[in-house]
Amino acid sequence: MLRLTWRNLLARKVRLLMSTLAIVLGIGFLAGVMTFSTGLNATFDNIVKGSTSDGLVRPAGDIQGANAGVGTTQVITPEDVEALDALPEVEDAVGSVDGIGSFLLGEDGKLVGGQGAPTLAFNYAPTENMAGEQILELTAGGWPSEPGEITLDTSSAERGSYAVGDEVTMIVPSVGETRRTFTLVGTADFNGGGTAGATLVLLDTAEAQEIFLDGQDAFTSVALTAADGVSQAELAAAADAVVPEGFAGVTGDEVVEETQDQIGQFLDVISIFLTTFAVIAIVVGAFIIFNTFSILVSQRVRESALLRALGASKRQVTRSVLIEAFLMSVVGATLGLLLGLGLSRALAGLFRTFGLDIAGEVLTLTPFTIAAGYVTGILVTMVAAFVPARRAAKVPPVAAMRDDLVVQEKGMGRRLLLGSIALVVGVALAAAGLTGAPGTDAIWIGAGAVIWVITTAVLAPVLGKPVLLACRSVFGRVFGTAGRLAGENALRNPRRTGATASALMIGLAVVSAVGVLASSLSATNDKVVDDAFRSDFLVQMPTFQGFPAQYGDRMEDVDGVDLVSRQQGTPVSVEVDGRSDQSFAAGVDPAYFEIYDLTIVEGTEEITGRQALLSEGRAADLGARPGDTIDVSFPGGETIPVEVVGVFEDSPTTGGITVPLSVLEDAGIKRSDSSLSITVEDGADRAAVKQDLEDVVEELPILSVQDKVEFKELISGQVNQLLYVIYGLLALAVIIAVIGIVNTLGLSVLERTREIGLLRAVGLSRRRLRTMITLESVAIALLGAVLGMVLGLVIGVVLRQSLKDDLTELSLPLDNLLVFLVVAVIFGVLAAIVPAIRASRMKVLDAIATE
Amino acid sequence: MTEHTLGEATQGVAASAHDLVKTYGKGEAEVRALDGVTIDLMQGEFTAVMGPSGSGKSTLMHCLAALDTPTSGEAVVDGTSLGKLKDKDLTTLRRERVGFVFQSFNLVPTLTAEENILLPLNLAGRKPDRAWFDQVVDAVGLRPRLGHRPSEMSGGQQQRVACARALVSQPRIVFADEPTGNLDSTSSAEVLGFLRRSVDEFGQTVVMVTHDPVAASYTDRVVFLADGRIVDELRNPDRDQILEKMVGLQDAAAAKAAG
Ligand SMILES: Nc1ncnc2c1ncn2[C@@H]1O[C@H](COP(=O)(O)OP(=O)(O)OP(=O)(O)O)[C@@H](O)[C@H]1O
Ligand SMILES: [Mg+2]
């Protein structure tokens, strides 16, 4: 039996290769994602560990502003550093100036690092990490030793096209000139390797103090190295005892853990996101494997019957098919793992160009990845091959003697019944989600959607009939007999056509559902912007980071400008019921209230001094009403009690906790702006004012001056960017589905050798034969696309409904759907190329002679 | 369609072979399926090709019907030499000037009987001559079956549909390779009767390969092949004459195999 299996595999190598390709791609994607995530984690781990000292003295409190790009005015003096250095537990204490709000420009004047990772600026002082190595290592040149000198990380220097000795331009938040030039004296990297995409700027200490601390001889934090035999905990405790108020000593381990938590959350999201698409690809692959085996089995009916007639048991026949599947899956998974490794390296290469350096040695197949790859590959293939294998065994021995080789396929009755039940279950789940069953609505709906997808796949032979009938009549009308025949061929084996189309259907269902959400998101944003955008211009960074307050000052002086409202955001925490609730506070100036109309639901909108307005949502979270006082903790550890004076209807123009700018100042937050809202005087030339405003921020091009239309475009641009990433990731699933079409067509062509020969004999030309096969392929692709898009629309609309609080507008991306349809047709045409050429190469005679 | 009382001398040549040679394989394994066949197939004649299995009957038909290319020699259909034609022209020639009936698998399973019959015309983009179509359909007696698919018809009915298809485009010549090979005697008689009538009533030219002396007795002329050569010929044969010749040929073949 084994030998027979082996022979079968070899005899059908091309067909099997194609379905193996489905496994290879699916597993390849999965392994690639896993390897890449592991590598990414390891890279960040190395950097975090390599750049953290035994202990750290930093501003107290649980919100570390530096992580959010918010600076504080709290400082620690050189005397404090000396006191720390003198402690017996401390071998070395190094004062550090961590600069917030500076930007490195490349030689072309553009921001280095684009809009991604932040610019980390600090003074250079040799410091040891937890492993006793230097935190920073030079890769060229030297360290900055006097004002005007600068050292950059290797990758940023490269991306900015700077070489040692060049003039380097930076935007700094110091008083006066914001633009400064330095001489590049060297390049360096974190000991852990790379900077993970961040831009690293090292300055001379005095200059760093001048720029970031207004010239005070002070530091923002102190790195500690423990004396021999002193534990991190002892070190931190000893330091904590002597540091000035507002500062705290923490262990290096704590800092590492905090950072890992933060990065880990972010990396987890990425990895889950990518894995989702790998799973979709694998599911699509499973369909193709199922389909390939179904066709192979039906083509082997006679052989199976002969085996049965010769005395093979049902189980032996089943097993022979399953062993075939097993061998195939092992080969597929092996190749997939190798592909995954290559894929992760390629991804790493791509990230390297963005400055995220992932070392090759961390990109290896871990035992877990290998196990996951094999288990998934083998399991999916075996499960997909099981039903066809059973069907092979059910062939009665007598079939060997019969001439007509058609497997009697069971009626669609059972399928319809099961499908309808599943459909009802899916609807029930979605309805449960919409009507507020416990847990997240989207999960209920998601479960319903998965059931729908499966149902549609099962019912595709039935549901797809109208589409195929339409194809037949249109093709027949446009392409004559060849078109008519193509339509008939697509219809003749509904299961096969349905299963092939289902693979494509899955991809398109996801694409369309995501499309509905994205388009609704854009529409909602447009509406929100229409309602809330009251100023003439808005000035902010695409990342909503803070920028030097000088720009706002200069804009106030621009001719024709009426009002400039300044807003500064910061993360805060508020104590509620004994636990601290992370939130976001916006400091606003009085002009804010002149430009924007908050809808006050309770209290007043007049705030002065230590008073706050809460959004309805925040107020509900905090259980606070006008008259209550809430304790707001700011980065740097300062906690300020503020009195709630009013509650407003949620608004995108300000934070959930809105306070006067002075509160942030009191809390020791370094002044910078997160956004400026600007109105122009009546009768002023808007275009001219805009030009003047743009001139103010010319040196920092990513800080943009936008009017309403541009702001809408910016937001929908961001939505679309994400959408395109998702489409890109789904492309793999679609490609696998197209491989499925190629496979099915190839098998069908082989199966219809005689028929094709006959058609050729009675006068079908090669060209029209190719047309016929291409049209059949297009019919399958269209079927998949139509089913997928209809299903995706339904899922998208239901999901939108469940998210209606956030997505207030529903918008259907009809123009996109049209594009998908065209793309499906193109894919159909592409999928048919090889089978069509094969068919047209068949010699008429061979075809006639084939049994 | 009735005024073709043509004598042999005045008949044109519908198709002809000149010194056709077809070999398969090389060297030791070389098989000469056709070994210099020269024959003229006359218009309006019903010709049978007979011979032992492997004597090259099918090969001859395929070469004449533009389905296969000979190794050497010339095949001419309706005055056109096939040797120089490209695939496209061969396709057109098959579609417009040649009709086929194979032993089995003659019909496209997805099409109805009527669609199968009209397939060559549809492929050519030609409008069927309705009167002619009706005549052919009535002649094969298939009117009630026109809407049926092949799977819903008996073997004999299927072969008659195939015959109708071969005739409906009014080709110069119809080739039939063992058209009754899979049929019982009643069905065979139906099909052969129809082919005979198409010759008598419509002046069609038909060439048919058969092993069955009864089938061959429907024809005007029987050509005997052995080892890729024409070895004998009968005109207006009857069953016994044919049987006699066949036995002779088979004995010769058996003797050759033994010796
Ligand atoms: N494709 C091929 N490759 C090799 N040899 C072939 C091929 N086709 C036919 N032959 C050989 O050519 C010879 C003639 O074959 P052909 O099919 O014409 O015989 P036939 O007279 O039609 O026989 P039958 O009555 O059995 O149908 C045979 O010896 C056959 O083995
Ligand atoms: Mg033959």
Side-chain angles (χ1 to χ4, degrees):
Chain A
M1 242 13 217
L2 192 61
R3 176 171 308 159
L4 186 75
T5 306
W6 193 240
R7 292 267 276 279
N8 275 333
L9 270 173
L10 290 181
R12 296 169 175 81
K13 48 186 178 299
V14 178
R15 305 169 229 181
L16 284 170
L17 205 76
M18 292 297 281
S19 34
T20 310
L21 200 56
I23 309 179
V24 173
L25 288 180
I27 299 298
F29 194 178
L30 183 70
V33 167
M34 290 175 74
T35 306
F36 184 70
S37 305
T38 319
L40 208 55
N41 267 313
T43 302
F44 278 107
D45 252 31
N46 280 345
I47 293 175
V48 171
K49 289 203 178 114
S51 62
T52 307
S53 51
D54 292 338
L56 195 69
V57 172
R58 63 178 190 189
D62 37 67
I63 297 181
Q64 289 305 316
N67 297 333
V70 175
T72 66
T73 47
Q74 278 169 304
V75 290
I76 193 160
T77 61
E79 293 74 44
D80 294 328
V81 177
E82 265 162 41
L84 284 164
D85 206 13
L87 289 172
E89 289 88 351
V90 174
E91 186 186 304
D92 195 15
V94 182
S96 167
V97 181
D98 305 328
I100 304 263
S102 60
F103 303 92
L104 175 68
L105 302 184
E107 212 177 32
D108 52 4
K110 294 216 173 80
L111 187 70
V112 171
Q115 311 175 353
T119 302
L120 307 173
F122 44 95
N123 63 321
Y124 174 70
T127 314
E128 279 181 10
N129 66 16
M130 289 153 53
E133 298 153 340
Q134 282 297 310
I135 284 181
L136 288 160
E137 285 175 335
L138 276 178
T139 54
W143 302 112
S145 56
E146 55 183 85
E149 291 186 344
I150 193 171
T151 295
L152 299 175
D153 69 277
T154 320
S155 150
S156 298
E158 232 165 67
R159 281 180 289 155
S161 313
Y162 290 129
V164 172
D166 284 357
E167 291 272 280
V168 170
T169 312
M170 276 198 24
I171 302 295
V172 294
S174 64
V175 202
E177 260 312 305
T178 41
R179 191 188 182 89
R180 266 200 210 210
T181 54
F182 303 84
T183 309
L184 185 67
V185 294
T187 56
D189 275 324
F190 279 132
N191 196 310
T195 59
T199 303
L200 208 62
V201 171
L202 300 166
L203 300 170
D204 164 65
T205 303
E207 189 160 41
Q209 289 170 337
E210 187 241 303
I211 293 173
F212 297 109
L213 302 176
D214 302 332
Q216 304 172 66
D217 183 11
F219 301 97
T220 55
S221 67
V222 184
L224 303 174
T225 306
D228 274 349
V230 176
S231 74
Q232 286 196 6
E234 290 161 354
L235 175 71
D240 209 33
V242 298
V243 292
E245 204 189 327
F247 280 84
V250 291
T251 65
D253 286 344
E254 264 174 78
V255 175
V256 167
E257 204 176 305
E258 267 171 27
T259 320
Q260 278 175 341
D261 270 3
Q262 259 172 13
I263 297 174
Q265 269 172 18
F266 170 68
L267 292 182
D268 281 353
V269 169
I270 292 189
S271 136
I272 290 172
F273 183 74
L274 290 176
T275 308
T276 308
F277 292 97
V279 168
I280 293 176
I282 289 171
V283 170
V284 171
F287 267 87
I288 287 164
I289 295 160
F290 169 79
N291 215 19
T292 306
F293 273 94
S294 298
I295 301 175
L296 290 182
V297 160
S298 78
Q299 289 182 351
R300 278 198 331 233
V301 174
R302 225 198 206 145
E303 183 188 306
S304 304
L306 189 64
L307 285 174
R308 296 275 285 120
L310 293 177
S313 69
K314 275 191 183 186
R315 187 189 294 190
Q316 276 172 313
V317 174
T318 308
R319 206 189 297 151
S320 107
V321 177
L322 284 180
I323 290 175
E324 202 172 315
F326 177 77
L327 292 174
M328 192 175 115
S329 65
V330 170
V331 173
T334 308
L335 293 178
L337 285 169
L338 293 177
L339 176 71
L341 189 61
L343 200 68
S344 68
R345 300 246 156 117
L347 259 177
L350 189 69
F351 273 63
R352 202 163 295 136
T353 62
F354 302 140
L356 184 58
D357 221 345
I358 298 165
E361 61 262 29
V362 294
L363 291 172
T364 50
L365 293 171
T366 60
F368 179 72
T369 306
I370 293 174
Y374 276 114
V375 169
T376 314
I378 292 171
L379 218 65
V380 166
T381 312
M382 300 292 274
V383 167
F386 184 72
V387 174
R390 282 273 304 276
R391 210 180 292 154
K394 281 198 187 136
V395 174
V398 67
M401 282 102 218
R402 281 210 313 249
D403 202 32
D404 46 346
L405 281 170
V406 220
V407 212
Q408 216 37 61
E409 299 210 323
K410 244 178 279 155
M412 292 287 163
R414 208 173 61 156
R415 221 174 238 250
L416 253 173
L417 182 71
L418 286 177
S420 311
I421 293 172
L423 205 63
V424 172
V425 173
V427 171
L429 281 175
L434 283 183
T435 52
T440 317
D441 291 358
I443 289 179
W444 287 94
I445 296 168
V450 169
I451 291 179
W452 279 344
V453 169
I454 296 170
T455 314
T456 310
V458 172
L459 289 183
V462 186
L463 297 176
K465 198 142 187 206
V467 179
L468 294 177
L469 288 175
C471 281
R472 182 178 67 180
S473 82
V474 171
F475 290 172
R477 215 155 288 155
V478 179
F479 297 94
T481 312
R484 173 76 210 284
L485 284 167
E488 288 292 350
N489 285 339
L491 273 162
R492 76 200 284 178
N493 198 330
R495 278 170 193 246
R496 187 182 296 181
T497 309
T500 311
S502 293
L504 192 60
M505 178 269 292
I506 297 174
L508 273 162
V510 181
V511 164
S512 314
V514 170
V516 171
L517 293 181
S519 133
S520 298
L521 181 58
S522 285
T524 304
N525 281 331
D526 280 358
K527 179 141 195 308
V528 168
V529 173
D530 273 337
D531 290 350
F533 202 103
R534 291 292 170 78
S535 62
D536 291 305
F537 301 112
L538 196 65
V539 181
Q540 58 186 9
M541 307 274 273
T543 50
F544 306 108
Q545 254 173 296
F547 51 87
Q550 287 94 312
Y551 295 123
D553 301 343
R554 288 180 211 160
M555 285 181 176
E556 280 170 354
D557 297 338
V558 167
D559 271 351
V561 165
D562 183 19
L563 289 171
V564 175
S565 163
R566 336 262 302 230
Q567 192 173 118
Q568 179 174 14
T570 173
V572 293
S573 76
V574 181
E575 192 96 355
V576 200
D577 300 334
R579 67 185 172 83
S580 73
D581 187 60
Q582 297 275 331
S583 181
F584 187 81
V588 298
D589 59 5
Y592 173 85
F593 297 97
E594 290 183 51
I595 296 176
Y596 297 101
D597 288 321
L598 288 178
T599 312
I600 298 295
V601 282
E602 213 181 344
T604 164
E605 70 168 25
E606 305 289 323
I607 43 171
T608 51
R610 297 191 164 186
Q611 291 183 331
L613 298 177
L614 298 182
S615 69
E616 268 186 301
R618 255 305 119 196
D621 289 348
L622 300 176
R625 301 197 46 225
D628 294 350
T629 295
I630 54 175
D631 290 332
V632 182
S633 302
F634 288 86
E638 203 72 49
T639 298
I640 295 184
V642 290
E643 185 201 350
V644 178
V645 295
V647 175
F648 57 91
E649 223 170 63
D650 289 6
S651 162
T653 61
T654 183
I657 301 174
T658 299
V659 292
L661 274 172
S662 61
V663 173
L664 267 62
E665 212 168 299
D666 291 351
I669 303 295
K670 246 187 109 101
R671 187 74 188 89
S672 73
D673 285 320
S674 326
S675 80
L676 305 174
S677 308
I678 299 171
T679 56
V680 298
E681 284 167 355
D682 285 343
D685 176 358
R686 282 173 59 105
V689 173
K690 182 158 193 271
Q691 188 55 54
D692 290 346
L693 292 172
E694 275 167 352
D695 288 346
V696 171
V697 291
E698 197 193 357
E699 59 187 20
L700 190 56
I702 61 158
L703 182 57
S704 54
V705 180
Q706 292 155 335
D707 58 23
K708 195 185 237 175
V709 175
E710 288 168 325
F711 186 67
K712 273 189 198 169
E713 278 166 8
L714 171 86
I715 292 189
S716 62
Q718 284 170 345
V719 172
N720 284 338
Q721 229 170 30
L722 181 65
L723 191 64
Y724 294 145
V725 170
I726 293 179
Y727 284 174
L729 290 168
L730 284 170
L732 184 73
V734 172
I735 287 171
I736 293 181
V738 171
I739 290 176
I741 300 182
V742 177
N743 218 9
T744 301
L745 278 181
L747 292 168
S748 297
V749 163
L750 262 163
E751 196 178 63
R752 296 178 201 150
T753 302
R754 298 191 71 175
E755 188 180 326
I756 290 169
L758 173 69
L759 285 167
R760 292 276 290 126
V762 299
L764 185 73
S765 66
R766 286 209 165 115
R767 198 173 50 81
R768 284 210 273 173
L769 173 60
R770 285 196 293 266
T771 307
M772 179 183 97
I773 289 166
T774 304
L775 288 176
E776 182 177 351
S777 174
V778 169
I780 299 175
L782 276 175
L783 174 62
V786 169
L787 288 180
M789 286 183 336
V790 170
L791 186 62
L793 279 183
V794 172
I795 294 173
V797 168
V798 173
L799 272 176
R800 204 290 306 184
Q801 186 64 26
S802 80
L803 300 169
K804 61 178 180 299
D805 293 341
D806 296 315
L807 296 178
T808 52
E809 303 299 302
L810 172 67
S811 159
L812 301 181
L814 294 177
D815 44 347
N816 281 6
L817 295 188
L818 204 67
V819 173
F820 298 155
L821 212 57
V822 173
V823 171
V825 170
I826 294 173
F827 276 140
V829 171
L830 292 180
I833 291 177
V834 175
I837 289 178
R838 268 184 81 167
S840 71
R841 289 241 178 96
M842 281 181 189
K843 291 226 183 75
V844 180
L845 254 197
D846 288 353
I848 292 169
T850 303
E851 245 255 34
Chain B
M1 299 294 148
T2 46
E3 46 193 346
H4 63 280
T5 43
L6 300 165
E8 232 173 83
T10 57
Q11 285 178 347
V13 176
S16 61
H18 301 287
D19 202 18
L20 271 190
V21 176
K22 176 79 185 178
T23 58
Y24 292 106
K26 285 221 165 64
E28 284 286 288
E30 189 185 85
V31 177
R32 288 181 89 77
L34 292 180
D35 192 8
V37 174
T38 302
I39 189 175
D40 284 339
L41 297 164
M42 294 303 165
Q43 222 165 66
E45 225 177 30
F46 190 175
T47 309
V49 179
M50 299 190 75
S53 187
S55 56
K57 305 180 294 293
S58 296
T59 310
L60 175 62
M61 297 278 272
H62 293 155
C63 288
L64 279 172
L67 289 169
D68 203 357
T69 44
T71 313
S72 71
E74 192 188 20
V76 178
V77 172
D78 194 21
T80 309
S81 177
L82 305 184
K84 297 176 203 78
L85 298 187
K86 293 249 159 44
D87 181 79
K88 200 171 155 219
D89 299 316
L90 287 175
T91 304
T92 315
L93 180 123
R94 283 199 302 268
R95 196 160 67 205
E96 296 183 347
R97 290 192 269 177
V98 177
F100 296 97
V101 183
F102 302 110
Q103 182 173 356
S104 63
F105 204 85
N106 261 303
L107 306 180
V108 178
T110 46
L111 301 181
T112 62
E114 175 167 4
E115 288 166 334
N116 264 294
I117 293 172
L118 293 175
L119 187 59
L121 288 178
N122 282 337
L123 285 173
R126 267 162 48 192
K127 274 258 166 300
D129 173 348
R130 219 56 226 189
W132 174 237
F133 173 80
D134 287 339
Q135 210 170 343
V136 170
V137 168
D138 288 333
V140 286
L142 280 170
R143 190 157 295 283
R145 296 275 162 188
L146 282 181
H148 291 217
R149 300 213 175 192
S151 58
E152 299 158 345
M153 285 185 282
S154 74
Q157 286 166 339
Q158 289 185 29
Q159 286 305 79
R160 280 189 280 150
V161 173
C163 291
R165 183 194 62 211
L167 289 178
V168 82
S169 58
Q170 293 176 296
R172 290 312 291 254
I173 185 164
V174 171
F175 294 99
D177 193 347
E178 301 188 45
T180 58
N182 279 353
L183 303 181
D184 65 16
S185 55
T186 323
S187 303
S188 291
E190 284 172 356
V191 170
L192 290 164
F194 172 67
L195 287 175
R196 181 70 245 173
R197 285 221 317 275
S198 73
V199 173
D200 293 342
E201 291 173 23
F202 315 140
Q204 185 63 59
T205 312
V206 179
V207 184
M208 169 180 79
V209 171
T210 183
H211 285 284
D212 178 9
V214 178
S217 66
Y218 279 78
T219 63
D220 301 317
R221 176 190 183 196
V222 183
V223 175
F224 293 94
L225 273 186
D227 293 331
R229 275 187 224 117
I230 296 181
V231 291
D232 212 339
E233 169 167 351
L234 280 175
R235 289 225 155 250
N236 301 320
D238 65 38
R239 203 180 68 95
D240 295 330
Q241 285 174 303
I242 298 165
L243 210 53
E244 208 174 297
K245 292 266 187 225
M246 285 294 290
V247 171
L249 282 175
Q250 256 142 23
D251 287 350
K256 200 179 147 202

